Every structure is written in structure tokens, then in C-alpha cells.
Amino acid sequence: MLLVVSPAKKLDFESSLATDKFSQPNLLEQSQLLMDDCIKLSPSDIASLMKLSDKLAGLNAARFGEWSTPFTQDNARQAILSFNGDVYTGLDAQSFSDEDFDYAQQHFRILSGLYGLLKPLDLMQAYRLEMGCKLSNSRGDNLYQFWGDIITNELNKTLNELNDDVLINLASTEYFKSVKTKSLKATIITPVFKDWKNGQYKIISFFAKKARGLMARYIIQNKLTSIEQIKAFDLAGYQYSEAMSKDNDWVFTRKESE
């Protein structure tokens, strides 16, 4: 199986690295084309485009200006150890073993507005460019038009290399829209996480994001080989609900949030 997740806005380029293994992004030439457009943006352009404060807009203008290739361990960091949002708190890649990193490198991918699709050990430089961003570029008015079929083709290539036809969608709607599902040569399973609140089960964003990371961690650390094994996921008190699940949307619930 192949897992896909979203990136995070929050980054960590300071903490110690859990591995010295690294790889290079497959789509870096495409990223360079986007960066050619990004470096033309002023801080005020960035603030307007991404709805950022002046401080964050200035930070990201500086990041665009400092972006350069080739990527090395001196100017970049492995993607799975660079993102630091709720999903990555649940994933906790800093505690991975060498075997976990090896499995993740084969079976785990990060969707990205700038990099398209990242393997976990791919080096990346700090950036902020959300997939839903309406950045005018050489291929259209937004990043979905820029990436077109490229991300989907890359996923199909990876699935073919794995000799597999199952994709586990742990990404947000914003990012998974970059995948042309009708062209994807895979069965898509989308885990949905719901917590009990005010007398009913609801998707609570903070908990759901962390749970996506926990699910990825569970699959990676247990080296799962069958989608049915996912139903045994029980981290942080979640349990598979057959009654609430429908088709390929698999629902996991818990009564008490942790």
C-alpha cells in the first residue's frame, strides 16, 4: 500500500536529525519553474496571496530568495523531519528506527504545493506555498493547473514499482484535490476519524489531523501488507466502526479525546 499525507505550515529546521539518510525530490525541475514565479513576489504580494501577516510574508519572501539548488545536507533537510504540524506530531518520525524509515521511503508520500510529491527522506528547503494557493504560473491560475497530471503520474509510477494497487488517503481535501483520482490506478481508502462530542461523533480538526499521523505511524511501524490490517488500528483509543463506515471511507471513532 501507498500512503499520502499533506505537508504542514509549521516547520522544524532546528532539532537534531533522527537519520542521516536522504534522497532527492523527483520533481525538483518542476519546483524550480514555480520558484521562478515565487521569487518575483513582493512581501505584500505574498501576504495577499496566502493571507499572511506582514511578518510571515517577509519570512517567506526571504525563504523564496534563499532557495537554491542543488540540495545538500548543509542547505536542506529531510521532508519527514522538516514538517511539524498536528499530523507530524502523531507520526513522530523522530522516534523511527532505520527499518521504519526504509519502509516509509517506499510506502509514504507527502503532497506539496512546491515540490509536488515528496518521499520522506527527500531533502527540502523551507517554504510555504499551500496547494490551494491561486498563484499565477506558466500553466494556469493556480497550483492544481500547474501540477496537472504530474502528481498522479508519479503516484502511478510508485504504485507500479510496489506492484500494488491500494492508496491510503490521509491527506486533507485541499491537497488530495491535486490527485486525478479517475486516472489513479488504485483503490483509494480514506480513513475518517471522529470523536464523541455533545452526544454525537464529529470530525474535530485538531484530533483528526493528529489521528492521520497516528494511522501513518501504525502502518509504517507494523509494516502492514493488507488493507484489512488497518481495521485493527487502535492508537489513542480509536476503534474501527463498521456501522459508520461506507464503501472506501473507513470510520474510526473514540469516546474520550486524549
Side-chain angles (χ1 to χ4, degrees), residues 31-206:
S31 304
Q32 182 64 68
L33 292 176
L34 273 179
M35 193 54 64
D36 290 343
D37 292 318
C38 288
I39 59 175
K40 299 173 185 175
L41 300 173
S42 68
S44 60
D45 291 333
I46 294 170
S48 176
L49 185 68
M50 293 190 261
K51 297 179 175 59
L52 299 179
S53 66
D54 290 343
K55 182 178 179 180
L56 284 176
L59 171 63
N60 285 284
R63 286 172 171 171
F64 290 153
E66 293 167 1
W67 198 89
S68 63
T69 56
F71 287 180
T72 69
Q73 288 179 292
D74 293 326
N75 66 16
R77 181 179 171 102
Q78 297 96 325
I80 200 172
L81 300 174
S82 298
F83 295 114
N84 197 30
D86 298 329
V87 171
Y88 295 86
T89 298
L91 182 64
D92 190 20
Q94 285 284 6
S95 67
F96 278 8
S97 67
D98 285 344
E99 291 75 18
D100 294 336
F101 280 117
D102 289 343
Y103 181 94
Q105 186 73 352
Q106 285 189 298
H107 298 272
F108 180 89
R109 296 292 182 268
I110 302 167
L111 297 166
S112 166
L114 178 59
Y115 296 103
L117 196 67
L118 289 163
K119 302 182 294 297
L121 297 178
D122 281 350
L123 294 178
M124 59 167 263
Q125 292 178 1
Y127 79 101
R128 182 160 173 174
L129 189 66
E130 292 151 38
M131 188 64 81
C133 178
K134 294 183 179 180
L135 174 69
S136 180
N137 60 79
S138 57
R139 296 172 185 159
D141 298 325
N142 56 58
L143 295 183
Y144 299 116
Q145 291 176 346
F146 177 84
W147 288 110
D149 295 323
I150 295 172
I151 291 173
T152 306
N153 291 340
E154 194 71 12
L155 287 171
N156 279 332
K157 179 182 175 182
T158 303
L159 286 161
N160 184 60
E161 291 170 352
L162 291 172
N163 193 27
D164 207 333
D165 62 354
V166 175
L167 184 135
I168 310 299
N169 171 26
L170 294 167
S172 66
T173 301
E174 174 188 351
Y175 277 87
F176 201 64
K177 278 174 61 180
S178 66
V179 179
K180 303 289 184 65
T181 56
K182 291 183 179 179
S183 301
L184 192 69
K185 299 174 182 177
T187 298
I188 301 169
I189 303 295
T190 302
V192 179
F193 302 95
K194 296 186 176 184
D195 283 81
W196 184 260
K197 186 175 182 180
N198 298 330
Q200 61 181 312
Y201 284 109
K202 297 180 178 181
I203 297 174
I204 301 174
S205 180
F206 168 76

Side-chain angles (χ1 to χ4, degrees), residues 85-93 96 209-218 235:
D86 298 329
V87 171
Y88 295 86
T89 298
L91 182 64
D92 190 20
F96 278 8
K209 288 178 182 179
K210 187 175 180 182
R212 290 177 198 146
L214 287 168
M215 173 65 84
R217 178 180 179 82
Y218 180 82
L235 298 185

